Amino acid sequence: MAQKRKVIISCAVTGAIHTPSMSPHLPVTPEGIADASIAAAEAGAAILHLHARDPVNGKPTQDPAIFEQFLPKIKTSTNAVINLTTGGSPHMTVEERMRPAMEFQPELASMNMGSMNFGLFPMLNRYQTFAHQWERDHLENSRDLVFKNTFADIEKAITLGTKNGTRFECECYDIGHLYNLRNLMDRGVVDGKIFVQSVFGILGGIGPHPEDVLHMRRTADRLFGERYEWSVLGAGSSQMRIAAQSAAMGGHVRVGLEDSLWLEPGKLAENNASQVKRVRELLESLSFDIATPDEAREMLELKGADKVGF
């Protein structure tokens, strides 16, 4: 009997897009982020993609002191791969965004593969009241926001991270980002097995239509051949549909409250673990095996949890 393919489930626990007023279930405090991460790992997530927030008002922060309040607990409670953001928030400088990855030297860190418009303002039509003024400003200011990730920014981040043995989840929000990544590979800035995370449904990037997913996959196949592992995330209501399409096309999946606050139409996800369980059920119904953290490490050529800086 042929061996079933292993699919990596990543879980993005809190992110920097949604605000606390949008869902009472969004993890904000260090304790909440740690507990949500551990539960997601227990549900089947091999990779935990982590941001931090100010525990008082829920505003995204890249202060290493906040990360330090939840990273050790997650590491000692799970075997999951910890993937730290270098995206932070589109409103931060690259230097701010790099601080946690540089201090904690994780196995994996995210890196956006190009500058882009990053429009969150349509969410103002769905949420009328906010507990904190920063939440409304965060959404409104995205009308005139370029999420800056120049070639110099990307090269600096990857070069510094690689010195610590950190590998990168290369986040591609559009087709041009794949070509940017290919250029970085050709110049030796990026080497080894490439982990591409294709993002669908952010205003300013590629859309969530099935043809968009197919176009991204075909282009990545042509540019990277056997050198990469492909994962997807669908924003909002497209989360599970795009996960199913990715799995059918040989890819991995990402879920979590960073990407969608919902479990199904009209029903908020009460925690990250519920989305992990839902996508795991979907994958297993398609006869796929779920990759363990160590299997994910092997597929992505990671350095191991014993070599991180926390």
Side-chain angles (χ1 to χ4, degrees), residues 101 105-109 158 161-168 303:
Q105 303 178 21
E107 294 182 78
L108 195 61
I158 290 179
T162 299
K163 289 179 181 178
N164 295 327
T166 297
R167 296 194 65 80
F168 286 84
K303 65 182 178 178

Side-chain angles (χ1 to χ4, degrees), residues 45-68:
I47 297 175
L48 300 170
H49 175 61
L50 300 178
H51 290 239
R53 291 178 180 265
D54 183 315
V56 175
N57 61 18
K59 189 173 183 179
T61 178
Q62 290 292 88
D63 183 352
I66 304 296
F67 282 83
E68 198 165 25

Side-chain angles (χ1 to χ4, degrees), residues 210-250:
E211 290 289 342
D212 295 321
V213 181
L214 182 60
H215 183 36
M216 186 76 85
R217 177 60 156 166
R218 285 188 303 213
T219 304
D221 278 346
R222 177 165 46 81
L223 292 177
F224 311 134
E226 299 295 320
R227 283 189 59 183
Y228 85 115
E229 294 288 343
W230 185 58
S231 181
V232 304
L233 71 91
S237 62
S238 64
Q239 183 182 69
M240 294 297 169
R241 292 195 301 273
I242 288 178
Q245 186 177 356
S246 171
M249 296 169 64

